[in-house]
Amino acid sequence: MNFSAETRAAGNTAAAKRSYNLQRFLDGWALFYENPVGKLGVFLLVCFGAMALISYIPPLIDPMYHPMTGVDPSISNATGPSAKHWLGTDNLGRDLFTQLLTGARIAFMVGISAAFMSIVFGTLIGMIAGYAGRVTDAALMRFADMIMVMPSLLVVLLLASLFGQLNIWIIVLLIALFRWPGVSRVIRSQTLSLKQRPFIDMARVAGASHMRIIFRHILPNVLPMACLYMTFRVTSAIIVEAALAFLGFGDPNTVSWGMMLQWVWKTGHMFQAPYWLLPPGICISLITLSFYLIGRAMEEVLDPRLRKEENF
């Protein structure tokens, strides 16, 4: 009977915790939804998500619309928008609208993958440094400082010049490796505060291991801040990839918005073909803006001090 009572009590506690977490999520979502900045960011992100999904359709309709290998046999130079090619074609006769749609897919892949990896690195290192303290903390933070002061774009450019044009996944990995230190410092400061809380002391008294304390008790509390920083890291990853591609160090087998800008510049159509130049530039600006707006709205949800007072 005592065992059954304890089991029921544990089950009730777990259910109450799940209900509390669900309520916190719903309250946070309500605040986010009321924020016009967040709404605009989500709207823009949904539009680009639709573009990324639609990008698979044109090559299925006609091989001519393949973003890399598809060529209109009746066109041998850059042409303006038409009923057949909504944004026109490049100098090889490839459809620019299809390339623009494919660029949205590449932007999501690069931005989210690089941001996710950098957040994982930064969160793990920040939690370990903050929880372990002393020598471990000092060593990890000095290493983070070394990475942080390095000019990441310049280093990637040097690597590309040494090893040639980089594969898109190598670019993603390099962006992630240079973007985690800022996240690690924020997570470390939160961990230093959390490990002094009574629930951490109770977990130690109960015999919880260091790994369990870090991943079971500290990680859920720092995860919202990590997700917030992920939105900002997505924007920087997209911009870095576009800059590398524009400078000629991107993956030549990948059609990205930066690569489109590189092609229009390299072929001498920078000022002669605005229908080729403007769409990728505008898309880069808008997708980075969408993630930034979402991040700002999330920041107001996580930090009550940033919320506007409705009643004076």
Side-chain angles (χ1 to χ4, degrees):
M1 293 295 293
N2 292 335
F3 179 76
S4 300
E6 292 176 358
T7 303
R8 286 196 299 270
N12 292 336
T13 302
K17 187 175 181 179
R18 286 194 297 269
S19 177
Y20 173 73
N21 291 333
L22 178 60
Q23 188 60 44
R24 283 184 62 188
F25 173 79
L26 294 176
D27 292 341
W29 173 252
L31 289 170
F32 181 89
Y33 186 75
E34 292 174 359
N35 192 322
V37 171
K39 285 182 180 180
L40 179 58
V42 171
F43 173 76
L44 291 174
L45 199 61
V46 169
C47 291
F48 284 110
M51 288 175 60
L53 293 175
I54 294 172
S55 66
Y56 292 99
I57 298 177
L60 300 177
I61 297 175
D62 192 323
M64 175 183 66
Y65 293 112
H66 190 281
M68 182 64 75
T69 60
V71 176
D72 190 333
S74 62
I75 297 176
S76 59
N77 54 8
T79 59
S82 63
K84 193 175 183 180
H85 303 284
W86 294 353
L87 289 180
T89 64
D90 63 9
N91 62 309
L92 298 178
R94 296 178 297 186
D95 186 73
L96 293 177
F97 183 67
T98 304
Q99 292 183 356
L100 194 73
L101 295 177
T102 305
R105 187 171 78 235
I106 299 301
F108 273 106
M109 183 188 73
V110 171
I112 294 177
S113 299
F116 178 77
M117 284 192 285
S118 67
I119 292 301
V120 170
F121 294 155
T123 302
L124 288 176
I125 292 174
M127 289 192 303
I128 293 171
Y131 183 79
R134 298 183 180 180
V135 177
T136 303
D137 183 18
L140 291 176
M141 288 300 100
R142 297 299 76 76
F143 178 63
D145 291 339
M146 291 172 56
I147 301 295
M148 188 179 296
V149 299
M150 294 176 66
S152 57
L153 182 59
L154 179 60
V155 173
V156 176
L157 288 175
L158 289 174
L159 292 174
S161 64
L162 290 174
F163 300 104
Q165 289 177 310
L166 302 175
N167 179 274
I168 190 68
W169 290 110
I170 300 297
I171 294 174
V172 168
L173 181 61
L174 289 175
I175 294 173
L177 291 177
F178 283 104
R179 295 294 173 178
W180 63 264
V183 179
S184 68
R185 298 196 70 86
V186 174
I187 299 301
R188 169 186 173 270
S189 64
Q190 279 202 315
T191 304
L192 287 172
S193 174
L194 287 169
K195 74 175 186 178
Q196 306 298 330
R197 302 285 180 86
F199 70 92
I200 298 296
D201 294 332
M202 293 174 62
R204 289 197 188 99
V205 172
S209 64
H210 297 309
M211 295 293 289
R212 181 175 177 83
I213 291 174
I214 290 174
F215 290 101
R216 179 69 176 174
H217 300 285
I218 294 179
L219 179 59
N221 289 281
V222 302
L223 202 56
M225 186 60 68
C227 292
L228 168 63
Y229 271 80
M230 182 174 173
T231 60
F232 299 127
R233 289 297 178 269
V234 171
T235 62
S236 63
I238 292 174
I239 291 174
V240 169
E241 188 279 331
L244 289 173
F246 176 72
L247 293 174
F249 296 100
D251 188 345
N253 299 315
T254 301
V255 180
S256 66
W257 292 328
M259 192 62 70
M260 291 179 67
L261 294 175
Q262 203 265 345
W263 287 334
V264 69
W265 173 74
K266 191 174 182 179
T267 56
H269 291 80
M270 183 70 76
F271 301 104
Q272 288 77 23
Y275 55 85
W276 188 356
L277 171 67
L278 294 178
I282 293 173
C283 285
I284 291 172
S285 300
L286 289 180
I287 196 170
T288 54
L289 176 65
S290 67
F291 280 104
Y292 176 78
L293 294 178
I294 290 173
R296 293 298 300 174
M298 288 178 59
E299 195 173 16
E300 291 189 13
V301 172
L302 296 175
D303 191 349
R305 293 172 297 181
L306 298 177
R307 299 172 194 165
K308 295 179 180 180
E309 296 290 340
E310 296 182 0
N311 299 317
F312 295 93

